C-alpha cells in the first residue's frame, strides 16, 4: 500500500535517492537540534529513577558493580523491593567515562537512542507505505509531545519502544537479508533489559509474527529455530533472574555477570494476573484507552495534558489509518502484508501490556505510542492522497500545535518540572556540598509523604556523586579525600531539638537540610539559614564555620 502524490515533479523528488537522503538527514538534524536545545533543563532537577540509574551507572563505570557491589547484574536491585532494568545504565557508561558524571552526560543516552528511534521510525514507515509516508511518520515523531519529552531525561523504561522499533525494522528487512533477521533477534532480546514488561509482551509478539511468517513461507523451520535459539540466549539471564525470584531461590554468579534473585521484590504485584479482579481489569482497559488516545496519565513527568501524548487530532487520523489498513490488507501482495502484520501485532501487544499491567501510565504503556504515530501517519497520507490540498491545513495545524507545545515545555511546564524533579532539594544538596563539615543531617523524603529515607538518599548519592566503595564501606575515600565512613557522615532523618542539642555538645561541624517545619528549631542568631525556594533550608552553625 504505497501512497504517492499526484504531481509529476513531486514524484521525481520521490524517486531521487539523493534528495530522499537529504530530506531525511535535514529532518533528523532538526530533531536533534530541537531536542538538544537547552539540554539538561528542562526538566529542571533530577527524577528519582534517573538518579538511581545514573548512580548505578557511575558504580559500573568505576568498579564494574552496581552501588551495592553486585558485579555486572542483569537486573538492578535498585529500590530493593522495587527493581529496575539495566540497559539504560549500561548505555550511560561511555558517556560518563568521556564527559564525566553530570545531568547532561547521564541524559545523553536517551537523546541519542531516541534520535535513532526516529531514524527507525522513518525506515519502518517506508517499509510500510513508501517514502512520503515514512517522512510524514518521521515528522509526527519529531513533534510528538511523548517522544520529545521522554528524549530529554533518562527513565529506564523509555528505552523499550526505541529498541523494539529498531528490532521490528531489522525483522522486516531480514526477510530479504537473513543476517538482519538474526540481528533483530538480538535487539528483541535486549528489550527485556530495557524494561521488565518486555518479558511478557515481546515473546507474545514474536509468537504471533512467527506463526504468520511460517505459514506464509517467509521463513523456514531452520531459520525459525535459529531465531528462537538466538533470542533465548540473549534473554536467558533475565528470565532466569525472574524465575529465581519467583521460586525464592538464590541468585547465580557467573564469571562475566550476576543473575540476581530478589526475594523481597514487590514487582509481581504490577501484573494483573498476580492478584486478579474484574474491577482492576476494567480500570486497566479504561486507563489504557484514555492514556493512549486521551490526555495521557496526567502526570507532569510524562504528559502535557493540553496536547496529549501524540496530539488529540492524531486520534482522528489513527482511526482513518487503521480503517484504511484493514480495508486494503486483503488486496495487498503477500510480501506487502508483512510489515502491516507486524504493525498490527505490535498494536495488539501494546493493548495487551495496558490490560495486563496495573496502574497504567504513559511510561508503562510507552510501547504503544510508536504504532499509534505510525497508523496516524498512514491516515494523514491517505487523506492527502484523496484530497491533495488537505496537506496545507494539516501541516498548519500540526505546526501551530508543535510551536505551542515547545512554548509550554520551555515555559510553564519547565517551571512546574522543578517541583516534580526535586530541583529545590537538589539545589539544597548542591549548596550543602560546598560547605566543609563532619556530618550531614538530611531531610529524608522530599516528596513530603514520610515514605522513608530511600528517595533522599539516592538524590544525595547522585548530587554528591558518592563513590560506590565509599557507600559500601570498603573505603573511606570520597573525591580523593579521606572522610568519616559514609554511615557516620550521612544521616537521613527528621531533625529534632534533641538531635541539634547533641550535635552542639559534640562540637561537630554539622550541616542540616530541613524543611520549613524544622527550620523553626534553629536560632537565627546561632545558625546561618539559607533558603532554597522557601521549600528547603540549608543550616550551619555560625560558630563552627
Amino acid at each position: 500500500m504505497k501512497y504517492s502524490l499526484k504531481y509529476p515533479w513531486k514524484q521525481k523528488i520521490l524517486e531521487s535517492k539523493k534528495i530522499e537522503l537529504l530530506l531525511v538527514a535535514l529532518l533528523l538534524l532538526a530533531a536533534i537540534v530541537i531536542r538538544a536545545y537547552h539540554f539538561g533543563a528542562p526538566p529542571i532537577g533530577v527524577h528519582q529513577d534517573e538518579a538511581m540509574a545514573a548512580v548505578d551507572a557511575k558504580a559500573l563505570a568505576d568498579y564494574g558493580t552496581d552501588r551495592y557491589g553486585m558485579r555486572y547484574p542483569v537486573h538492578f536491585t535498585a529500590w530493593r523491593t522495587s527493581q529496575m532494568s539495566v540497559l539504560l545504565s549500561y548505555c550511560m557508561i561511555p558517556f560518563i567515562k568521556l564527559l564525566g558524571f553530570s545531568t547532561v552526560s547521564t541524559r545523553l543516552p536517551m537523546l541519542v537512542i531516541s534520535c535513532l528511534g526516529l531514524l527507525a521510525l522513518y525506515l519502518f514507515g517506508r517499509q510500510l507505505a513508501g517514502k512520503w509516508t515514512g517522512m510524514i511518520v518521521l515528522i509526527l515523531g519529531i513533534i510528538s509531545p511523548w517522544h520529545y519529552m521522554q528524549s530529554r531525561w533518562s527513565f529506564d523504561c523509555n528505552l523499550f519502544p526505541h529498541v523494539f522499533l529498531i528490532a521490528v525494522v531489522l525483522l522486516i528487512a531480514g526477510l530479504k537479508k537473513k543476517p538482519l533477521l538474526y540481528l533483530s533477534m538480538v535487539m528483541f532480546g535486549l528489550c527485556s533489559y530495557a524494561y521488565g514488561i518486555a518479558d511478557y509482551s515481546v515473546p507474545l509478539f514474536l509468537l504471533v509474527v512467527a506463526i504468520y511468517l511460517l505459514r506464509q513461507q517467509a521463513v523456514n523451520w531452520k531459520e525459525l529455530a535459529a531465531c528462537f535459539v538466538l533470542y533465548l540466549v540473549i534473554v536467558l539471564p533475565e528470565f532466569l533472574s525472574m524465575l529465581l525470584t519467583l521460586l525464592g531461590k538464590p541468585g547465580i554468579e557467573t564469571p562475566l555477570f550476576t543473575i540476581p534473585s530478589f526475594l523481597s521484590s514487590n514487582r509481581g504485584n504490577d501484573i494483573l494476573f498476580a492478584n486478579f479482579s474484574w474491577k482492576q481489569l476494567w480500570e486497566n482497559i479504561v486507563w489504557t484507552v484514555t492514556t493512549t488516545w486521551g490526555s495521557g496519565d496526567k502526570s507532569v513527568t510524562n504528559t502535557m495534558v493540553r496536547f496529549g501524548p501524540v496530539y488529540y487530532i492524531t486520534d482522528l487520523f489513527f482511526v482513518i489509518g487503521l480503517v484504511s489498513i484493514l480495508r486494503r490488507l486483503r488486496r495487498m501482495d503477500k510480501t506487502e502484508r508483512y510489515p502491516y502484520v507486524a504493525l498490527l501485532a505490535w498494536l495488539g501487544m501494546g493493548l495487551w501490556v495496558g490490560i495486563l499491567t496495573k496502574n497504567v501510565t504513559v511510561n508503562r504503556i510507552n510501547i504503544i505510542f510508536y504504532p499509534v504515530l505510525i497508523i496516524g501517519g498512514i491516515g494523514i497520507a491517505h487523506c492527502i492522497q484523496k484530497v491533495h490540498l488537505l496537506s496545507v491545513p494539516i501541516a498548519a495545524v500540526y505546526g501551530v500545535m508543535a510551536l505551542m507545545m515547545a512554548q509550554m515545555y520551555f515555559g510553564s511546564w519547565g517551571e512546574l518540572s522543578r517541583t516534580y524533579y526535586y530541583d529545590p532539594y537538589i539545589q539544597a544538596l548542591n549548596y550543602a556540598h560546598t560547605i566543609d563539615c563532619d556530618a550531614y543531617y538530611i531531610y529524608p523524603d522530599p516528596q513530603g509523604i514520610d515514605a522513608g529515607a530511600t528517595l533522599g538518599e539516592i538524590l544525595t548519592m547522585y548530587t554528591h556523586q558518592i563513590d560506590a566503595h565509599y557507600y559500601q564501606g570498603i573505603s573511606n575515600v570520597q573525591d580523593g579525600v579521606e572522610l568519616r565512613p559514609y554511615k557516620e557522615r550521612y544521616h537521613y532523618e527528621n531533625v529534632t531539638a534533641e538531635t541539634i542539642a547533641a550535635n552542639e555538645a559534640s562540637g561537630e561541624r554539622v550541616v542540616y537540610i530541613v524543611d520549613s517545619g524544622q527550620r523553626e528549631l534553629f536560632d537565627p542568631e546561632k545558625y546561618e539559614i539559607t533558603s532554597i525556594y522557601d521549600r528547603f533550608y540549608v543550616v550551619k552553625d555560625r560558630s563552627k564555620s
Side-chain angles (χ1 to χ4, degrees):
M1 185 172 68
K2 305 293 183 184
Y3 291 105
S4 60
L5 300 179
K6 297 178 181 179
Y7 299 99
W9 66 273
K10 292 185 177 180
Q11 195 64 35
K12 286 184 179 180
I13 291 176
L14 205 71
E15 292 170 355
S16 171
K17 191 71 175 177
K18 288 184 179 178
I19 294 178
E20 178 196 0
L21 291 173
L22 178 62
L23 287 174
V24 173
L26 289 174
L27 286 171
L28 289 173
L29 179 62
I32 293 168
V33 169
I34 65 175
R35 279 159 174 73
Y37 177 72
H38 283 197
F39 190 72
I44 303 171
V46 179
H47 187 270
Q48 65 263 32
D49 286 316
E50 68 175 333
M52 179 77 74
V55 166
D56 278 327
K58 182 179 183 301
L60 286 164
D62 290 342
Y63 303 112
T65 71
D66 68 2
R67 72 184 187 282
Y68 296 116
M70 186 182 293
R71 188 170 182 274
Y72 293 113
V74 301
H75 209 93
F76 283 138
T77 305
W79 305 97
R80 294 188 183 275
T81 60
S82 182
Q83 291 73 50
M84 183 179 282
S85 301
V86 299
L87 185 57
L88 181 57
S89 292
Y90 282 105
C91 291
M92 288 180 185
I93 292 173
F95 293 92
I96 291 172
K97 284 185 173 291
L98 286 171
L99 304 174
F101 186 83
S102 69
T103 301
V104 169
S105 65
T106 54
R107 285 179 173 173
L108 268 174
M110 275 307 305
L111 175 68
V112 172
I113 293 164
S114 294
C115 291
L116 289 175
L118 288 173
L119 174 59
L121 184 62
Y122 169 73
L123 294 173
F124 191 42
R126 194 178 189 277
Q127 288 172 333
L128 284 158
K131 300 174 185 177
W132 281 111
T133 302
M135 288 184 189
I136 290 171
V137 168
L138 173 57
I139 293 169
L140 273 183
I142 290 171
I143 65 174
S144 160
W146 161 73
H147 197 285
Y148 187 81
M149 291 177 74
Q150 60 80 41
S151 70
R152 289 177 58 90
W153 66 293
S154 288
F155 198 4
D156 64 315
C157 60
N158 285 334
L159 204 60
F160 178 28
H162 309 302
V163 177
F164 187 85
L165 173 58
I166 293 168
V168 171
V169 170
L170 290 171
L171 171 66
I172 301 304
L175 298 177
K176 294 181 179 178
K177 298 180 180 179
K178 296 305 177 184
L180 297 179
L181 178 66
Y182 303 127
L183 181 58
S184 76
M185 293 301 114
V186 175
M187 297 304 295
F188 281 123
L190 289 177
C191 288
S192 287
Y193 302 95
Y195 195 18
I197 280 176
D199 293 349
Y200 59 81
S201 58
V202 173
L204 180 64
F205 169 86
L206 290 175
L207 177 63
V208 170
V209 172
I211 291 172
Y212 179 82
L213 293 177
L214 192 62
R215 290 186 63 183
Q216 298 297 315
Q217 299 181 332
V219 294
N220 59 43
W221 282 104
K222 287 184 179 179
E223 291 165 345
L224 191 63
C227 287
F228 173 77
V229 169
L230 188 54
Y231 174 74
L232 186 61
V233 167
I234 300 297
V235 300
L236 188 59
E238 165 71 6
F239 282 9
L240 279 175
S241 178
M242 299 302 104
L243 181 62
L244 292 170
T245 298
L246 182 64
L247 298 176
K249 301 295 184 181
I252 300 170
E253 282 196 45
T254 76
L256 298 177
F257 52 82
T258 303
I259 302 173
S261 176
F262 306 107
L263 302 183
S264 58
S265 177
N266 61 13
R267 280 298 189 188
N269 295 327
D270 292 342
I271 303 174
L272 174 65
F273 293 155
N275 188 17
F276 182 82
S277 77
W278 290 107
K279 179 177 180 291
Q280 186 67 57
L281 174 61
W282 173 246
E283 287 179 353
N284 284 7
I285 293 171
V286 172
W287 289 341
T288 296
V289 173
T290 56
T291 300
T292 305
W293 291 280
S295 55
D297 57 18
K298 299 183 181 179
S299 68
V300 172
T301 54
N302 291 322
T303 313
M304 285 185 278
V305 175
R306 181 180 299 179
F307 305 102
V310 295
Y311 299 114
Y312 297 116
I313 193 175
T314 306
D315 296 350
L316 171 62
F317 292 117
F318 172 84
V319 173
I320 294 170
L322 187 60
V323 171
S324 174
I325 290 169
L326 295 176
R327 287 180 61 186
R328 297 191 182 201
L329 200 57
R330 288 188 177 182
R331 301 200 302 269
M332 292 179 193
D333 178 79
K334 182 174 71 171
T335 56
E336 279 188 308
R337 291 195 200 110
Y338 297 152
Y340 285 98
V341 170
L343 176 63
L344 294 175
W346 184 353
L347 179 65
M349 183 186 81
L351 294 171
W352 167 254
V353 166
I355 291 168
L356 197 62
T357 307
K358 289 184 180 179
N359 302 322
V360 176
T361 60
V362 166
N363 49 281
R364 288 191 172 192
I365 201 175
N366 56 22
I367 193 63
I368 204 170
F369 292 112
Y370 268 136
V372 169
L373 284 170
I374 292 164
I375 295 171
I378 289 171
I380 292 173
H382 178 80
C383 291
I384 293 174
Q385 186 189 42
K386 294 295 183 183
V387 183
H388 184 68
L389 291 178
L390 283 176
S391 58
V392 176
I394 290 172
V397 169
Y398 274 105
V400 169
M401 288 191 300
L403 289 173
M404 291 173 63
M405 187 271 288
Q407 182 184 38
M408 184 175 180
Y409 183 85
F410 288 100
S412 60
W413 185 89
E415 285 303 310
L416 188 61
S417 72
R418 289 184 185 276
T419 300
Y420 292 87
Y421 288 79
Y422 310 107
D423 182 55
Y425 193 79
I426 296 291
Q427 289 201 34
L429 286 166
N430 272 322
Y431 177 61
H433 198 215
T434 66
I435 303 171
D436 190 22
C437 65
D438 299 313
Y440 295 101
Y441 281 76
I442 299 171
Y443 186 72
D445 183 20
Q447 289 180 326
I449 58 176
D450 197 24
T454 308
L455 176 55
E457 182 174 56
I458 199 63
L459 292 176
T460 302
M461 292 186 70
Y462 177 91
T463 307
H464 289 197
Q465 300 185 26
I466 300 296
D467 182 87
H469 281 183
Y470 180 57
Y471 174 70
Q472 296 163 31
I474 295 173
S475 166
N476 288 337
V477 176
Q478 167 72 21
D479 296 328
V481 179
E482 186 158 351
L483 302 169
R484 286 184 175 186
Y486 172 81
K487 291 185 178 179
E488 294 180 18
R489 182 170 169 81
Y490 287 90
H491 305 268
Y492 305 93
E493 59 185 70
N494 289 305
V495 175
T496 64
E498 289 75 16
T499 304
I500 297 169
N503 288 331
E504 287 178 350
S506 70
E508 293 182 344
R509 297 172 301 163
V510 176
V511 170
Y512 303 89
I513 297 176
V514 298
D515 72 346
S516 55
Q518 296 167 357
R519 175 184 178 277
E520 305 303 323
L521 297 172
F522 297 91
D523 181 357
E525 296 294 324
K526 293 175 61 178
Y527 290 90
E528 181 181 308
I529 303 172
T530 303
S531 172
I532 310 293
Y533 289 104
D534 293 327
R535 176 66 183 91
F536 295 102
Y537 300 85
V538 179
V539 183
K540 64 177 182 177
D541 192 324
R542 295 181 186 275
S543 65
K544 298 173 183 175
S545 299

